[in-house]
Amino acid sequence: MSNEKPPIPSGEDQVNTMSNEKPPILPSGEEPSQVFDPLIPPAGPAPSMDYGASPMGYGAPPPFQPPYPVYYAPPSAGSTEDPILQPPQTITITPVQPCNEPDHLGYSIFTMLCCFLPLGIAALVYSIQTRDANRMGRTMVAKQKSRQALKLAHSAVGAGIVIIILNIVRLVLFHDKNY
């Protein structure tokens, strides 16, 4: 028993594996094996996929090999059906009607700078959110954010008044002890 491999068919002996027909004779006089056709698999054994990986396991892993053989369809296997064309669709863009809820932005800035900074910042954030909701036409969200901004601004004014009163009381009570 010998270890010889069977000869690889070449030229006119090569048979197309998909249709079991011999390749056509080319008008240019070239042999079919010299013309590259991406739909016909190359003859002969597959190239080695080793890429120099060492036996110790270092280096890049071998590339992914598909579990099934690759199928190359003959050129005449294309679809004979016409493409399905859809009629153009009409897109209507309706502009958003902006709403007009008060955003209390000036009041929020005043309370942030002059009364109580943390509550003033929160009131400012809700005022900006109210302005954005007004611009997008979201009436319910704008009403909620406007009410919240007003509540926080009133709270900042109240906290600022309490802080001012406490400072006046502290100055009156402890002013006599320093002299």
Side-chain angles (χ1 to χ4, degrees), residues 5 24 43 48 63 87 89 99 103 105 112-114 123 161:
K5 295 182 181 177
S48 171
Q89 298 178 357
C99 54
D103 58 5
L105 187 64
M112 180 181 69
L113 296 176
C114 299
I161 291 172

Side-chain angles (χ1 to χ4, degrees), residues 1 3 27 29 34 45 48 56 60 65 68 74-75 80 83 87 91 99 107-108 113 132 136-137 159-161 167 175:
M1 197 184 248
N3 272 346
Q34 295 173 348
S48 171
M56 297 291 287
Q65 295 181 1
Y68 303 106
T80 59
I91 299 173
C99 54
Y107 187 35
S108 299
L113 296 176
D132 291 340
M136 293 182 166
I161 291 172
N167 278 330
H175 181 63

Side-chain angles (χ1 to χ4, degrees), residues 57 116 140 158 178:
F116 189 64
M140 294 304 295
N178 287 337

Side-chain angles (χ1 to χ4, degrees), residues 6-59:
I8 299 172
S10 63
E12 293 179 7
D13 296 336
Q14 185 179 8
V15 177
N16 187 346
T17 57
M18 304 314 300
S19 63
N20 292 332
E21 299 174 359
K22 290 195 177 216
I25 298 173
L26 300 175
S28 65
E30 297 176 329
E31 292 183 20
S33 62
Q34 295 173 348
V35 178
F36 174 73
D37 188 359
L39 299 176
I40 299 175
S48 171
M49 301 297 241
D50 184 22
Y51 295 109
S54 70
M56 297 291 287
Y58 298 105

